Amino acid sequence: MSSQLPELNAWVDQVAALTRPERIHWCDGSDAEEQALTALMRERGDLLALNPDSHPGCHLHRSDPEDVARVEHLTFVCTRRREDAGPNNHWLAPDEAHARIDALFDGCMAGRTLYVVPYCMGPIDSPLARCGVEITDSPYVVANMRKMTRMGDAALRRIERDGGFVRGLHSTGELDPGRRFIMHFPEELTIKSYGSGYGGNALLGKKCHALRIASWQARQEGWLAEHMLIVGIERPDGQTRYIAAAFPSACGKTNLAMLIPPEAYRERGWKVWTVGDDICWMQRGSDGRLWAINPEAGFFGVAPGTGPSTNPNALAMLDRDAIFTNVAMTADGQPWWEGLEEGAPALDWQGRAYDPGNGPAAHPNARFTVSMRNCPSYTAAAEHPHGVPISAIVFGGRRRSLVPLVTQARDWSHGVLMGAAMASETTAAATGQVGVVRRDPMAMKPFCGYHFGDYWAHWLSFDTEGARLPAVFQVNWFRRAEDGRFLWPGFGDNLRVLEWILRRCDDDAGARQTPIGLLPNADDLNLDGLALDPADLDALLAVDADGWRVESQAVLAHLEEYAPRVPAELLAQARRLAETLS
Ligand code: OXD
Ligand code: MN
């Protein structure tokens, strides 16, 4: 088979000449194709069928133990000019990068099948959607791409119509960490990834295309590609408002996107709808508002910590047609992970008899892949070609101290500063030390495909005549007391904060002015049915002036790392913060 697009056929031929596969398979995305691939992977031991009674259609994949997370130190943005990639990216000159990675691809598919995977990021008929083709030698990647994107014939037809597509070349290679690279060539709309089968490194539609390459395209074309969930909040009067929220990896985006309202809210008719849990593409509409689509069609979520009390919606979508990666297994073949609150592991994520001495049963970055249509809070609004209008943008991080529960930015450029100054404790979603506070502007540190200074200028450029921009907020669900306990219950109760946010958008809730922005007074939040210690609430809503003085200097120093491209307006906002606090 081939396509109606000569450039695509020529590229496939060129890749085949380099990688020398035994055969080539063009993916059509059909059920029959999925069944055949699943059968093949079961035969090869790449997939293990889970208990068909409790988890019909579900499989377990155990990755190489050295290939369990994104590898930021091996991820490069290869622009012609080094400055364009910025200090926020590892950089290699494109010629050198191609030469290094092509040497690895040389002959790497001998004896393997080369899969051509056409995919569309976003609803297939959406003007905001963009397409790509991933070439891979991994059937596991194909199976995941089928759940995570609109993959197959429909995408190919759109690519043939559009004439353009992002090229992604992937091989698992030898899974040798010493022969592993994830390279991006934004000027060529090309991605090359070698030596890893892990989601963020290998499902090229996700982080590589929908964030790194798309952020570059978005800047050129005047839109935004962001590491944000999109959630719809339906009020008792039936109106639904949408919020886009950026959090670093493994900080509860999936939980927030699928939140179950507290009982007192449910009784009054509040509902929550999931549009997306990880990536948001936004564009100004003719009404001046920002309209957003979720470019993905599925969830690639962190399993540990997902349980009946943290995310019942996620659990409900995981009992059929899901792929689990690096979770543990019970004696009767059910998937298991820490935080599941029931069952017990018999085999750990590496397939060994479970022994607590070997550490957690599931890998801390164990994942599930599932179509978003499986989710009980899935909404057809996720398929709207024009997307959903965004009322509020929320930036959040994992900060045990300092950052209050919620703060509203005074205006758009203050909001951009809030995003640019974001910091969070690192998690298991990337290799490296866990629990260290690092700056993660807009939660895009690992994902922005160009210089952060230019990125912030792009954000600021949205504040134009006629724009009806979302209000901007910062939240922190992760504040701790001295003794280490969390001050805020989080999960479903986060709706209390989201309600205040939406009421602020309508000028319908109180707030107090502080040097760091607008904060709710204790009685501005709806705390019905929540037994919260008043001292804890005070701590959550207090502004620690000494701490913020130190923080404001650290923020200035952080912004200056991006000189000379950091926008003057942002520096002025940061100086204003430092001066107001001094
Ligand atoms: C993810 C991540 O997989 O951010 O979404 O690492
Ligand atoms: Mn993510």
Side-chain angles (χ1 to χ4, degrees):
M1 199 196 127
S2 61
S3 75
Q4 309 284 327
L5 197 64
E7 298 95 284
L8 173 53
N9 301 338
W11 176 58
V12 172
D13 288 347
Q14 188 197 325
V15 168
L18 174 66
T19 58
R20 298 193 288 283
E22 190 170 304
R23 66 183 79 78
I24 298 182
H25 175 95
W26 288 69
C27 294
D28 60 14
S30 64
D31 291 346
E33 177 180 82
E34 188 184 41
Q35 280 153 17
L37 272 174
T38 305
L40 172 80
M41 285 188 281
R42 280 165 66 161
E43 210 178 287
R44 290 176 18 162
D46 289 349
L47 286 187
L48 207 72
L50 291 166
N51 188 317
D53 298 322
S54 62
H55 290 80
C58 290
H59 290 90
L60 168 63
H61 172 77
R62 294 194 185 110
S63 80
D64 184 287
E66 300 286 327
D67 184 32
V68 291
R70 285 184 290 99
V71 281
E72 291 175 12
H73 61 297
L74 300 174
T75 299
F76 291 81
V77 169
C78 310
T79 45
R80 281 194 295 274
R81 287 186 312 196
R82 182 180 199 136
E83 315 80 88
D84 291 341
N88 42 306
N89 282 302
H90 298 296
W91 176 86
L92 270 177
D95 286 350
E96 187 190 342
H98 281 302
R100 276 169 78 167
I101 201 159
D102 286 353
L104 300 178
F105 279 116
D106 193 359
C108 72
M109 295 191 191
R112 300 184 185 181
T113 300
L114 178 160
Y115 297 94
V116 182
V117 186
Y119 63 86
C120 178
M121 300 310 292
I124 204 94
D125 51 353
S126 168
L128 298 173
R130 295 286 184 280
C131 292
V133 177
E134 173 163 359
I135 292 181
T136 179
D137 55 9
S138 162
Y140 166 79
V141 165
V142 177
N144 276 270
M145 285 292 283
R146 186 170 188 272
K147 295 195 189 300
M148 294 302 298
T149 70
R150 282 93 174 164
M151 179 273 254
D153 277 349
L156 184 57
R157 297 289 89 83
R158 174 157 173 170
I159 291 168
E160 288 167 344
R161 274 199 313 277
D162 288 356
F165 61 97
V166 169
R167 293 161 195 232
L169 171 56
H170 168 257
S171 170
T172 49
E174 309 77 13
L175 294 175
D176 172 357
R179 288 165 58 82
R180 181 173 294 163
F181 285 115
I182 324 295
M183 291 182 172
H184 304 75
F185 304 87
E187 288 137 331
E188 301 165 36
L189 301 185
T190 294
I191 305 155
K192 291 186 177 177
S193 165
Y194 188 89
S196 168
Y198 173 76
N201 303 327
L203 311 180
L204 301 185
K206 191 172 179 63
K207 304 298 186 181
C208 301
H209 177 165
L211 289 175
R212 297 195 191 96
I213 298 287
S215 60
W216 174 281
Q217 282 183 297
R219 177 174 173 235
Q220 290 181 328
E221 298 170 12
W223 47 284
L224 288 166
E226 298 301 322
H227 191 203
M228 292 179 175
L229 64 90
I230 308 168
V231 66
I233 312 287
E234 184 179 327
R235 298 190 308 214
D237 65 6
Q239 274 215 40
T240 302
R241 300 297 195 82
Y242 296 92
I243 294 177
F247 291 80
S249 310
C251 285
K253 287 216 304 293
T254 307
N255 294 344
L256 187 62
M258 295 173 194
L259 170 159
I260 304 256
E263 201 179 327
Y265 279 72
R266 278 202 308 274
E267 278 166 3
R268 284 167 37 223
W270 288 78
K271 294 194 183 93
V272 171
W273 300 107
T274 310
V275 179
D277 79 329
D278 196 39
I279 301 180
C280 163
W281 287 356
M282 284 183 281
Q283 194 163 61
R284 185 180 148 149
S286 51
D287 60 359
R289 293 190 289 176
L290 289 186
W291 288 74
I293 59 163
N294 170 14
E296 301 191 282
F299 306 113
F300 180 68
V302 181
T306 306
S309 49
T310 60
N311 194 340
N313 274 331
L315 270 197
M317 70 184 181
L318 294 179
D319 59 8
R320 64 199 186 284
D321 303 322
I323 301 174
F324 296 91
T325 302
N326 293 337
V327 300
M329 207 167 77
T330 63
D332 64 347
Q334 300 196 41
W336 192 92
W337 51 82
E338 281 70 16
L340 190 56
E341 296 172 31
E342 56 192 26
L347 299 179
D348 74 6
W349 64 279
Q350 297 188 58
R352 302 172 299 194
Y354 173 58
D355 171 357
N358 287 332
H363 186 275
N365 193 34
R367 298 282 178 144
F368 52 77
T369 318
V370 69
S371 159
M372 68 179 175
R373 288 171 187 267
N374 268 29
C375 180
S377 53
Y378 162 77
T379 164
E383 303 295 337
H384 286 178
H386 294 285
V388 295
I390 299 297
S391 298
I393 287 179
V394 173
F395 294 117
R398 189 182 279 274
R399 298 289 298 266
R400 51 174 55 231
S401 59
L402 190 71
V403 179
L405 179 63
V406 58
T407 312
Q408 181 179 3
R410 282 181 297 273
D411 52 29
W412 182 252
S413 72
H414 182 218
V416 176
L417 176 68
M418 271 181 177
M422 260 174 77
S424 192
E425 292 153 27
T426 49
T427 68
T431 51
Q433 212 185 341
V434 168
V436 185
V437 174
R438 78 166 185 180
R439 295 277 158 206
D440 191 352
M442 280 81 171
M444 284 287 278
K445 173 71 183 63
F447 307 122
C448 182
Y450 63 102
H451 195 298
F452 262 151
D454 297 335
Y455 171 70
W456 297 325
H458 182 50
W459 264 82
L460 290 169
S461 75
F462 281 78
D463 194 2
T464 51
E465 196 64 32
R468 289 162 64 202
L469 291 168
V472 182
F473 299 80
Q474 176 172 40
V475 300
N476 180 17
W477 317 134
F478 299 95
R479 278 291 293 276
R480 307 253 197 164
E482 300 267 291
D483 61 6
R485 101 199 125 77
F486 285 102
L487 290 178
W488 177 249
F491 303 107
D493 287 303
N494 291 335
L495 183 57
R496 301 174 188 279
V497 175
L498 300 187
E499 181 190 1
W500 181 76
I501 286 175
L502 289 176
R503 288 180 49 214
R504 288 293 301 164
C505 296
D506 289 344
D507 247 338
D508 182 31
R512 67 184 213 277
Q513 291 272 4
T514 80
I516 64 167
L518 296 137
L519 272 86
N521 301 294
D523 56 6
D524 293 323
L525 289 173
N526 178 353
L527 300 175
D528 276 4
L530 183 67
L532 197 65
D533 184 330
D536 287 355
L537 186 60
D538 284 351
L540 284 163
L541 300 180
V543 177
D544 164 8
D546 288 340
W548 275 98
R549 258 189 290 280
V550 176
E551 174 76 359
S552 63
Q553 293 303 329
V555 168
L556 266 172
H558 152 67
L559 293 184
E560 270 153 16
E561 284 171 29
Y562 296 92
R565 295 202 185 188
V566 55
E569 188 179 345
L570 204 60
L571 278 175
Q573 277 284 358
R575 290 203 185 99
R576 173 172 164 194
L577 174 67
E579 278 156 22
T580 340
L581 285 156
S582 64

